[in-house]
Amino acid sequence: MDYARRQDAIDAQLEKLRLEALLVTHLPNIRYLCGFTGSAGALLMHGGRPVFFTDGRYTAQARAEVRRARVVIAKGSPPLAAAQFAQGVRLRALGIESHHMTVSARATLHRALGPKTRLRDVGPVVERLRMIKDADEIALLREAVNLGARLLDTAVHAIGPGVTESEVAAELEYAARRAGAEAMSFATIVAAGPRSAMPHGVASSAAIPAGGFVVLDFGVILHGYCSDMTRTVHVGKVSAAERSMYQAVREAEQAGVDAARAGVACGEVDRTVRNTLRRAGFARYFTHSTGHGVGLEIHEPPRLARGEGGALDAGMVVTIEPGVYVPGQGGVRIEDMVVISQSGCDVLTAAPKELIEL
Ligand code: ZN
Ligand code: ZN
């Protein structure tokens, strides 16, 4: 990982903001900037000489993982150790990631710094940098997506009338760990029958009915990077209405993939997807946004949503995931992860999109 480039980019941002230092406390941002994967740490970006603070539990791990930052093992909490350091070098202002900080953590930091150092919220500067994935990251994301896609078969084989949603999720997650996944990227969604109309129907103890859709939305974490995909299969005889619903979502998803390329506004991709569903008469059942960035976190900027004016850029990795949810009946969602390029996008998710009938 090119930590030097990433740290340089943050230093350049700080210079623009006329800020001497930034305290990075959001763990994925810390990992992105210096490689630390543990659960307690604070990274002080300071005049090209970053210092990483962690506690005694991570002495060995920090020495093994952290790149391009001095490691300090703190007695107390890492952010407070960073505050003491900041006092020592007489900072006038310290940038913070207040969107990742509780009100009480901010107050504690403020007290520890004393009246001479001002806290300044810098917003998601690290997240903005993380939106564009470098070649190393795209390779890791590709690996995670491939592992995830290979699990679809396992899940599909587990599905049948009377089997519970959580049994299907269990098979899928067991296979994921066997294949090397570090964890699932989020609580696996297996939503069958009427529950498929709930966009976030996390696998429950409900049994799969003899007829209807089953939405499978899942992802794995591999080498720290998340995958995210959705496929919808059908149990029993497919009605004409169900077939047209599936077809509409499939066409909308394809329209989203076709529209996504560098320079196109995120909101424009969402509009294209929504318009495709509107022509098929299903737009009012599409109740969430079209997609989101994926990387070290499952949900990252950018958002592909109504009114998002920011443009897609080459190297962004986003999902395209339209769905149609008819309350009381059922729902369909299809989700791929794509890498944006100048000329279009490359679909990472290698799994069929024809309706699988069981
Ligand atoms: Zn998903
Ligand atoms: Zn998603």
Side-chain angles (χ1 to χ4, degrees):
M1 294 292 171
D2 194 351
Y3 298 113
R5 183 193 63 80
R6 297 172 184 182
Q7 293 186 1
D8 286 349
I10 292 299
D11 288 339
Q13 275 300 316
L14 293 183
E15 209 158 298
K16 241 192 230 168
L17 294 164
R18 299 176 189 281
L19 197 56
E20 298 154 272
L22 166 67
L23 184 61
V24 183
T25 49
H26 185 50
L27 290 166
N29 288 346
I30 291 174
R31 180 176 187 153
Y32 183 77
L33 291 172
C34 74
F36 180 71
T37 68
S39 67
L43 177 66
L44 187 70
M45 297 296 296
H46 171 241
R49 292 182 306 279
V51 188
F52 175 70
F53 302 86
T54 185
D55 64 42
R57 293 170 298 167
Y58 288 113
T59 307
Q61 188 175 331
R63 302 231 187 274
E65 290 179 345
V66 173
R67 298 282 176 274
R68 297 192 160 265
R70 183 152 75 83
V71 174
V72 174
I73 307 300
K75 293 259 180 339
S77 92
L80 288 187
Q84 275 158 13
F85 180 95
Q87 255 192 330
V89 296
R90 296 174 197 283
L91 285 184
R92 276 162 302 162
L94 176 63
I96 52 167
E97 303 182 295
S98 66
H99 55 298
H100 291 299
M101 202 174 260
T102 62
V103 174
S104 89
R106 190 186 198 283
T108 307
L109 191 62
H110 182 67
R111 270 197 304 277
L113 281 167
K116 289 201 179 105
T117 310
R118 210 160 44 87
L119 291 179
R120 206 169 119 193
D121 179 24
V122 297
V125 286
V126 187
E127 285 86 340
R128 271 202 292 276
L129 188 61
R130 281 172 49 198
M131 283 200 295
I132 312 272
K133 273 65 183 175
D134 56 37
D136 291 338
E137 292 185 288
I138 289 171
L140 293 180
L141 281 161
R142 208 179 273 278
E143 259 188 73
V145 172
N146 284 341
L147 197 165
R150 285 199 300 273
L151 301 171
L152 180 66
D153 268 355
T154 306
V156 169
H157 279 116
I159 290 173
V163 178
T164 66
E165 293 171 349
S166 62
E167 283 171 323
V168 176
E171 292 295 335
L172 184 137
E173 293 180 10
Y174 180 69
R177 292 306 301 261
R178 292 285 306 217
E182 291 142 22
M184 304 310 285
S185 344
F186 54 92
T188 300
I189 290 173
V190 179
R195 291 190 82 253
S196 62
M198 298 196 292
H200 271 188
V202 169
S204 74
S205 58
I208 294 170
F213 288 118
V214 184
V215 173
L216 300 159
D217 186 352
F218 58 93
V220 297
I221 304 179
L222 185 63
H223 308 302
Y225 282 82
C226 296
S227 78
D228 187 7
M229 70 178 281
T230 307
R231 289 294 183 270
T232 301
V233 303
H234 191 280
V235 177
K237 197 172 152 37
V238 188
S239 70
E242 285 172 325
R243 208 174 284 286
S244 64
M245 188 165 151
Y246 189 89
Q247 207 46 41
V249 174
R250 184 156 177 212
E251 279 165 21
E253 203 266 349
Q254 190 58 51
V257 168
D258 293 342
R261 75 179 135 74
V264 172
C266 293
E268 181 58 27
V269 178
D270 183 83
R271 209 173 63 90
T272 303
V273 167
R274 235 165 265 282
N275 283 344
T276 310
L277 285 175
R278 184 162 297 118
R279 282 193 292 276
F282 287 106
R284 70 179 180 284
Y285 300 114
F286 178 30
T287 48
H288 53 77
S289 52
T290 291
H292 54 89
V294 190
L296 287 169
E297 292 179 274
I298 183 65
H299 291 122
E300 299 185 351
R303 288 180 65 232
L304 276 61
R306 220 191 286 257
E308 290 284 326
L312 289 169
D313 207 347
M316 286 182 176
V317 174
V318 298
T319 68
I320 310 272
E321 51 177 307
V324 161
Y325 313 94
V326 183
Q329 292 181 42
V332 173
R333 177 166 66 256
I334 300 173
E335 173 180 29
D336 283 331
M337 268 170 68
V338 306
V339 191
I340 304 299
S341 67
Q342 291 301 341
S343 57
C345 74
D346 181 9
V347 177
L348 297 178
T349 314
K353 286 185 262 194
E354 299 84 48
L355 180 58
I356 299 174
E357 300 176 40
L358 302 169

